[in-house]
Structures are given as structure tokens and as C-alpha cells.
Amino acid sequence: MAEQTQIVIRWWHFALIGVMILMFVMFAAGLGRDTRFIPSPLIGKPAYDFKLKQLRADKEISLSDFKGTAVVLNFWASWCVACRDEHHVLLESAKKYTGKPVQFLGVNSKDTKKAAIGFMEQRGFFPYPSVVDGQGRLGLEYGVYGMPETFFINEKGIIVAKHIGALTPEIVEKNIGLTGALEQRAVSISDDASSKKEVRQ
Amino acid sequence: MRVSIKIIIAALFVMSAPIAGQAQDANPAKAETAAPKVQVESRLERQVRNIASLLRCPVCQGESVYDSHADVAVEMKTLIAEKITAGETTEQILTYFKDRYGNYILMEPPAEGLHWVIWIFPGFMALLGAMFLVQHLRSSAKAEQQRFEEQAKSKEAPGEIEELSL
């Protein structure tokens, strides 16, 4: 009788040790993860189409204006510190991909026109348009946590990648690669180039 | 003396009730006109609060959208109010945010997939602990009884046994 009790107690000991190991593994896995990279449920889904006013022109822009071209959609604001860090990366990348089927598009979110223009005057104007998302409503549609955040949309309008935080040239290159835009035939380039010109006017 | 103090306190309560009632009804005309507006607003606010309390503020640390004053949380509350006014259900509104931010946006992770572990774990641990405790108490009680029986059987003085049983 006494032996049986002994065996049962040992079994519970093993169960408790097992549970403690499981807890340790779960904590280690959870704490080791980079909290900035919360997987977006929007990856692989069609990008939300919008029609918003440009920051430096009265003309409105829709995302669908760029169908057939990969789009790098960058949410930024003048008050955002990390946006200052990635500013030169965006300027250089936009220049690098000129003439290629990649359209850069800014979304100036929760900002004022004056502050946004002042920001660009100080650091250089983006060679591509930015739309105004005054209250951050477009940010909600894209599940934006904070700024900057950048979405990489392929030529079919599907979000293939999202980057939270300041961009680096490597991140831009890698994610533009994911859109498959550079593997496209030269045929679409001429069309895209003409549509780009229209937008910039 | 004690009883009389109680009576005085009770009397004060009874006397103060009509005074409080009069104070509330001081301006009935104003109260009537203001009442419907307040009622409509509070209902929407309550609905917003119910939904916003279920959502996590994306830029805060463990704070709900309702509790947060961050820009994004304020905009989320405005959107929730708009959606309620447009006739959307709580489920539809929660799904809207879940589709864009993932399960992270929910204050309580849904009981599905791997999340089941989180929900089952505390109960499982409590059960395991309870079983362990019962087992431990049983065995120790048994050991205690055995010891007592052994002592009873021994040739010790009857007076000592009486003391032990007490």
C-alpha cells in the first residue's frame, strides 16, 4: 500500500517538472522574439484602395492608379523620429528604382501640412508623391501600429511584405525583390513610366 | 446609550432622504430638456466603451483602447462610434480590427489554435496542484494515523495516550 503511494507521488513530480520545462520553453520563445515584428494578417491580401489628396498638389491619388506596378507605401510623419533616420534611404531608393516598375508613395499621417513640408524642406523633398491621411484613418485600414511603417505591394495589388520601423537599403531591396517587380518584362515598364509622369504633374 | 445613538443616526438618514430628493428636483424643467440628449450619448458611449475595452491600444503597453488617450486609440474610438451608428455589430467591429492588426489587437486572445494552451493552462495547473495536495494530505494523514496506532499499541502509560488523543 505504502509503495503504491510512493509511485503516485513520483508521477506528479514528473508531471510538475514537465510542466515547468514547458513553461520555461514558452517563456524563452516568447521573450526571445522581437516584439517589433508582429506578423501582419494583411500579408498576401489585397491592399486597401484609397483616394486621398496629395500633400503638395490638389489632385487626388488612388492606389489603383498604380496597378501593374509594385508600390512601396511608406507611412511617415514629421514628428516621427525614426522617419528622419530612414529619410535618406527613401530618397536614395526612389532614385535607384527610377525607370523600373516600382512606385514609391508616401502617406503623411496625423501631421500638419506645414510641418510635413518643413520636414522635407530641411531633409530633401521626396521624388514621389505623398497623400494626406490627417486623422490616421488610412493607418487603421492598414493596421499601422506606429510610424514609420512600409508596405510592399506587388503589381497585382497584393501586400507581400510589411516593415515596421526605419528602412535600410537592404530591407528595401529585399522586399522589392519579394514583389517580383524587377522580374517583369520590359513591356510594362513603358506603361508604368507614363502613369508615373501623370501622377507627378 | 448605544441604542439611542443608533436611533439618532437612523433618524438623520430618514430626514436627509427628502432633502436629497428635493435637491435633485430643484430645476425639473432643465432636467427634462437635458435628459434625452444625455441618454442617447451615454448609450453610444457605453457601446463604444464595451467594444474599446476589448481592444488593445496598438502603441501602448497592456492598455485597452478605451483606457488610452493615444492618438491612434482616440481615432479607433471615433471609428467604433461611426461603425455602431452605421449599425455594425460588436462582432463585425472586432473582426474589422482583427483582420487588420491580427489577434494581438484583442485584449483576450481567442480560444482557438495554440491559444487554447493559454486558456487551459491555469485550470490544468490548478487541477494538478489540487490533486497533488489531496494526494499529499491523504498520505500524511495515513502516516499520522499509523503513527498514532503504533503509539496506542505501545506499552506507554494510559495518561500519556489520553494527552495525545486530545
Side-chain angles (χ1 to χ4, degrees):
Chain A
M1 194 67 188
E3 273 176 27
Q4 203 182 355
T5 315
Q6 192 83 14
I7 291 161
V8 173
I9 289 171
R10 268 187 195 160
W11 186 84
W12 291 119
H13 284 170
F14 280 124
L16 279 171
I17 290 166
V19 168
M20 279 165 78
I21 290 170
L22 184 76
M23 272 176 75
F24 180 78
V25 169
M26 282 171 75
F27 274 120
L31 291 172
R33 222 167 43 180
D34 192 338
T35 49
R36 285 178 305 164
F37 296 102
I38 301 158
S40 171
L42 295 172
I43 309 293
K45 299 220 172 102
Y48 174 79
D49 194 13
F50 53 84
K51 193 170 188 172
L52 289 170
K53 219 171 178 181
Q54 288 186 55
L55 185 64
R56 296 175 65 205
D58 283 335
K59 205 181 150 192
E60 287 184 325
I61 292 185
S62 299
L63 183 67
S64 52
D65 291 344
F66 306 107
K67 213 146 200 186
T69 318
V71 175
V72 178
L73 191 67
N74 174 252
F75 284 80
W76 69 280
S78 65
W79 47 262
C80 142
V81 179
C83 297
R84 293 171 202 165
D85 298 337
E86 69 168 12
H87 192 78
H88 70 281
V89 177
L90 283 164
L91 295 183
E92 285 159 22
S93 298
K95 208 168 150 189
K96 185 181 164 188
Y97 289 97
T98 306
K100 298 201 169 104
V102 179
Q103 174 67 48
F104 281 70
L105 187 59
V107 180
N108 181 240
S109 208
K110 290 181 270 183
D111 209 347
T112 61
K113 189 174 177 175
K114 197 182 163 192
I117 302 281
F119 175 88
M120 287 196 286
E121 271 172 353
Q122 219 175 350
R123 293 176 173 80
F125 282 93
F126 290 121
Y128 54 84
S130 277
V131 293
V132 179
D133 178 31
Q135 300 303 312
R137 194 54 70 87
L138 187 62
L140 291 184
E141 284 294 343
Y142 276 86
V144 169
Y145 284 92
M147 263 157 282
E149 275 189 30
T150 310
F151 291 83
F152 296 85
I153 302 161
N154 73 9
E155 83 286 355
K156 286 175 186 155
I158 307 290
I159 298 170
V160 294
K162 171 189 179 177
H163 181 76
I164 300 175
L167 292 165
T168 63
E170 294 78 32
I171 291 165
V172 174
E173 198 172 333
K174 189 189 119 196
N175 289 320
I176 285 179
L178 288 175
T179 64
L182 305 178
E183 293 152 24
Q184 281 180 48
R185 286 166 289 111
V187 179
S188 61
I189 294 174
S190 58
D191 297 341
D192 296 327
S194 62
S195 68
K196 267 186 233 172
K197 270 177 202 163
E198 265 176 41
V199 168
R200 282 176 196 171
Q201 274 165 9
Chain B
M1 186 63 187
R2 266 188 205 167
V3 176
S4 62
I5 290 170
K6 275 184 184 173
I7 290 168
I8 291 165
I9 292 169
L12 280 171
F13 264 107
V14 173
M15 281 161 70
S16 65
I19 297 165
Q22 276 173 10
Q24 277 177 350
D25 297 335
N27 193 348
K30 196 181 172 186
E32 263 174 42
T33 50
K37 197 186 171 189
V38 169
Q39 205 180 354
V40 169
E41 276 182 352
S42 69
R43 188 187 292 167
L44 181 62
E45 274 170 10
R46 195 172 59 243
Q47 283 174 307
V48 170
R49 189 187 66 215
N50 288 342
I51 297 171
S53 304
L54 300 173
L55 295 166
R56 187 192 303 276
C57 163
V59 295
C60 317
Q61 296 285 326
E63 208 174 11
S64 77
V65 167
Y66 177 72
D67 293 325
S68 172
H69 297 288
D71 280 357
V72 66
V74 172
E75 191 56 26
M76 280 169 87
K77 278 182 266 197
T78 312
L79 184 63
I80 292 167
E82 281 175 23
K83 284 183 178 290
I84 292 167
T85 314
E88 285 192 32
T89 63
T90 304
E91 196 59 40
Q92 282 173 319
I93 297 168
L94 292 178
T95 307
Y96 169 87
F97 287 107
K98 213 173 88 177
D99 286 349
R100 282 150 187 83
Y101 286 92
N103 284 334
Y104 176 83
I105 204 75
L106 303 174
M107 285 299 277
E108 282 187 3
E112 60 186 33
L114 255 181
H115 289 124
W116 268 114
V117 177
I118 304 163
W119 286 93
I120 292 172
F121 201 72
F124 175 73
M125 282 303 285
L127 194 72
L128 205 69
M131 285 169 92
F132 184 75
L133 193 70
V134 166
Q135 199 71 36
H136 180 75
L137 288 174
R138 263 190 198 169
S139 62
S140 62
K142 206 176 277 177
E144 189 74 17
Q145 199 182 350
Q146 263 178 355
R147 207 187 311 151
F148 182 75
E149 278 169 10
E150 275 167 22
Q151 279 179 348
K153 278 175 192 171
S154 69
K155 298 166 186 174
E156 282 170 8
E160 274 181 35
I161 294 168
E162 263 175 40
E163 250 180 49
L164 274 170
S165 67
L166 282 168

